[in-house]
Amino acid sequence: MQLTPEQEKALDLIRQKQFVLIHGVTGSGKTEIYLRAAQEVCAAGRQVIVLVPEISLTPQTVQRFAERFKIAALHSALTPKERRINRQKILRGEVQLAVGARSALFAPFPNLGLIIIDEEQDSSYKQDNNPRYHAVAAALQRAQFCGARVVLGTATPALETYHLFQNPPDDKYGYIYLPRRVENRPLPPVEIVDMRAELQNGNFSVLSARLQRELRACLDSGGKAMLLMNRRGFATFVSCRACGYTLECPRCSVALVYHSDGQAKCHYCGRAEKIPEQICPQCGRPYLKYFGAGTQKAEAELRKYFGDARILRMDSDTTTQRGAHEKILQEFLAADRAVLLGTQMIAKGHDFSAVTLVGIIAADALLNLPDFRSAEQTFQLLTQAAGRAGRGSQAGRVIVQTYQPEHYAVQAASRHDAPGFYAQELVVRRELNYPPFSRLTAIVFAAADEAQARKMAEHYARKYAPQALGPAPCIIRKLKGYYRWQILLKDTEINYADFPAEASVKIEIDVDPLNMY
Ligand SMILES: [Zn+2]
Ligand SMILES: [Zn+2]
């Protein structure tokens, strides 16, 4: 296969710089660049580690490496014996390349030459229990020690990674942007549907008239569709269906979360306000509504209107059993006309050439997460989901449903304008002093008795004032019988000795948290 001039440029950069970020649109041929870089390293007698977010979701990527290298695939479904055998092969250098999720980073190769991290922004690269580490930071360190190279690849880098490679500490860092797909395939047009207008037109369905029409056309022409549902349904935000207004904390600029006591609360600083009775403070109309889970409704409507097609659902409920992912994906591949409805896991990596329509049912469910990263995560998810459309010879189309069509994350994603989005988001982060311009530390206090958890959180909020935000209840306020409260610290060194291992209150400290608690 002939490389494009842009792929050649990226490969050259990898030869020159120790750490390279390949920021390439979906379909720009990043995997082929990884393969060539790995070949050069292996030819020099050194070994390669390839990290992918979830190995069960990326069988095609693994397959492409297996075709050209002697590989060891490291995944959680291996038996202890299989694990031992793999480890010995790696130690003796009998395999050239190990591919796996986060922990594959520690594969004990004798002469490691290259670490490749695909989809480097993926949250699965951060380990959320002890020892807490982020695979990207750990990879840069391991590479420093053994003189290996690191290649990070993604269509949507984490803002911290983007900022680091735009403002590198030394000349070991290289950045390249690949704005075009290979073989001159067009990026799919992204159409924004304003859900406020749907309401005005009397359509109360979760599927807009436009999306229904496109689904019908797609299925009738023998195509396949993917529909994305929101991923974290437990955070219930308050928003107006008529004008798109969303209740937000004026201090922290994150969405307020609705609580059953009738108050909307900020999960960063704890500020609480009474919710006006259904009346929207912005437009004065009675369409203020609580949004949260409820996308099961989408499945029911799909079955009602598109009963002639195979409707498949993929989320954490339908994939608890081993091999469930593969089974659903195979059914989707084999079906004649099919719709795959799922959470963000369907946006990752799949290369289905038959998918010609991608629909985002509720972009707002992401935009209104009570998290300062909500705009970044929305942009990433919309971009990745759009990337699933039109990868084959047939062109694709993307429909994004939202109550906030003018939001810059939605606008930038619809124009495939990553540089524009990152520039604007960095301005917002700098203004509010959020990462990458500050370091956050989350401290969670959990106890069976809520008053105890809260009291302890208050104690530490006072101790670390004025850098502490909170205390505030966690988004998941009660988990496994424990009530959870948290404080957030900006740019504060923690002295771990200040936190006694007290029996009645469990304390968790997370430096640079990726998801809010
Ligand atoms: Zn706040
Ligand atoms: Zn309104």
Side-chain angles (χ1 to χ4, degrees):
M1 195 198 289
Q2 185 78 21
L3 291 187
T4 66
E6 279 170 340
Q7 285 174 314
E8 290 283 7
K9 242 198 259 170
L11 202 53
D12 258 348
L13 193 65
I14 295 169
R15 292 180 191 120
Q16 290 158 23
K17 303 282 184 181
Q18 190 175 8
F19 310 124
V20 171
L21 172 59
I22 304 174
H23 181 186
V25 299
T26 54
S28 58
K30 293 186 287 291
T31 307
E32 190 58 34
I33 301 170
Y34 303 156
L35 287 161
R36 301 287 175 108
Q39 266 167 346
E40 292 182 9
V41 167
C42 290
R46 300 181 78 177
Q47 297 91 31
V48 180
I49 292 172
V50 180
L51 299 190
V52 291
E54 251 168 290
I55 203 158
S56 66
L57 294 177
T58 45
Q60 290 147 328
T61 308
V62 176
Q63 186 53 37
R64 287 183 68 182
F65 281 98
E67 281 163 9
R68 293 198 216 174
F69 302 94
K70 275 185 279 177
I71 74 162
L74 310 174
H75 51 87
S76 54
L78 292 179
T79 64
K81 190 180 168 200
E82 289 169 325
R83 243 171 253 273
R84 221 169 35 243
I85 293 172
N86 266 333
R87 194 182 151 79
Q88 273 158 5
K89 282 186 186 163
I90 289 169
L91 273 169
R92 295 194 210 109
E94 287 172 14
V95 290
Q96 300 167 291
L97 185 145
V99 54
R102 186 177 63 221
S103 61
L105 178 59
F106 304 109
F109 278 121
N111 191 5
L112 181 65
L114 173 65
I115 303 170
I116 295 165
I117 306 187
D118 192 31
E119 302 289 343
E120 70 82 27
Q121 82 292 347
D122 196 90
S123 59
S124 71
Y125 289 132
K126 166 96 193 261
Q127 175 151 309
D128 273 336
N129 43 42
N130 287 327
R132 290 172 201 274
Y133 67 93
H134 196 294
V136 172
L140 295 176
Q141 264 181 6
R142 182 167 182 196
Q144 292 269 23
F145 279 128
C146 59
R149 289 168 193 276
V150 176
V151 173
L152 309 175
T154 175
T156 53
L159 209 72
E160 284 88 340
T161 308
Y162 183 82
H163 187 65
L164 171 68
F165 279 82
Q166 292 286 332
N167 306 275
D170 55 48
D171 61 4
K172 291 181 191 157
Y173 292 75
Y175 169 87
I176 185 166
Y177 182 53
L178 310 177
R180 275 177 287 278
R181 283 185 162 178
V182 294
E183 293 168 19
N184 291 321
R185 287 193 186 131
L187 281 160
V190 177
E191 195 179 323
I192 303 171
V193 172
D194 185 346
M195 292 303 279
R196 300 170 300 191
E198 293 293 312
L199 183 81
Q200 274 163 14
N201 295 335
N203 177 17
F204 290 87
S205 163
V206 294
L207 306 172
S208 62
R210 181 92 185 107
L211 184 55
Q212 289 187 27
R213 269 201 312 279
E214 285 299 334
L215 267 172
R216 180 42 67 202
C218 165
L219 293 172
D220 285 352
S221 69
K224 287 178 192 175
M226 281 179 148
L227 294 185
L228 207 78
M229 309 189 297
N230 59 315
R231 41 176 213 159
R232 285 189 291 175
F234 55 79
T236 314
F237 59 96
V238 185
S239 168
C240 174
R241 286 189 71 173
C243 75
Y245 174 83
T246 301
L247 292 187
E248 236 186 35
C249 176
R251 230 177 106 188
C252 309
S253 189
V254 296
L256 299 181
V257 175
Y258 176 70
H259 284 249
S260 51
D261 60 5
Q263 290 191 313
K265 290 178 186 165
C266 171
H267 283 251
Y268 281 21
C269 71
R271 176 195 161 98
E273 55 183 73
K274 193 86 191 133
I275 296 183
E277 202 62 45
Q278 292 220 321
I279 303 293
C280 170
Q282 183 167 281
C283 72
R285 281 180 287 175
Y287 288 115
L288 216 53
K289 200 171 168 286
Y290 313 129
F291 287 78
T295 23
Q296 293 90 329
K297 211 179 150 197
E299 189 184 3
E301 287 189 10
L302 282 172
R303 290 192 191 286
K304 196 168 104 194
Y305 298 129
F306 303 99
D308 55 323
R310 189 101 179 75
I311 311 289
L312 295 155
R313 200 176 110 209
M314 185 150 107
D315 56 27
S316 50
D317 294 331
T318 62
T319 52
T320 46
Q321 277 182 356
R322 187 175 157 174
H325 288 120
E326 290 86 342
K327 219 180 127 226
I328 295 172
L329 293 177
Q330 268 156 20
E331 265 188 73
F332 184 60
L333 270 177
D336 228 5
R337 33 172 63 192
V339 181
L340 177 60
L341 178 70
T343 49
Q344 91 278 12
M345 58 174 78
I346 70 168
K348 284 182 192 172
H350 305 300
D351 199 343
F352 295 126
S353 48
V355 171
T356 53
L357 177 65
V358 169
I360 317 290
I361 290 183
D364 307 84
L366 281 162
L367 275 177
N368 296 325
L369 281 178
D371 190 322
F372 73 87
R373 286 195 177 85
S374 63
E376 177 186 355
Q377 291 177 344
T378 301
F379 178 78
Q380 289 171 339
L381 192 69
L382 293 186
T383 301
Q384 279 160 21
R388 298 308 114 215
R391 301 191 55 123
S393 47
Q394 273 183 299
R397 166 181 297 285
V398 182
I399 300 216
V400 178
Q401 301 190 160
T402 175
Y403 289 92
Q404 299 166 74
E406 64 289 333
H407 194 288
Y408 65 93
V410 175
Q411 286 288 335
S414 76
R415 292 191 308 262
H416 304 289
D417 179 16
F421 171 76
Y422 285 93
Q424 173 139 19
E425 181 65 6
L426 282 167
V427 170
V428 173
R429 297 285 181 89
R430 191 190 292 274
E431 263 170 25
L432 292 160
N433 194 28
Y434 280 130
F437 301 102
S438 67
R439 289 195 82 172
L440 288 185
T441 303
I443 310 177
V444 175
F445 304 86
D449 173 10
E450 183 162 24
Q452 258 187 328
R454 181 180 186 157
K455 228 177 100 188
M456 186 72 86
E458 279 165 355
H459 168 75
Y460 283 100
R462 276 194 303 273
K463 187 176 169 70
Y464 283 108
Q467 292 104 312
L469 277 176
C474 293
I475 297 171
I476 307 177
R477 185 175 183 176
K478 194 176 180 191
L479 185 67
K480 295 173 185 157
Y482 282 84
Y483 288 94
R484 304 157 80 234
W485 279 68
Q486 67 159 335
I487 61 174
L488 263 183
L489 305 178
K490 275 185 186 172
D491 290 328
T492 311
E493 279 301 323
I494 296 280
N495 184 358
Y496 284 84
D498 288 345
F499 295 87
E502 184 146 347
S504 57
V505 178
K506 246 180 26 190
I507 301 177
E508 277 177 64
I509 299 173
D510 189 359
V511 180
D512 303 331
L514 264 195
N515 292 304
M516 301 321 296
Y517 287 88

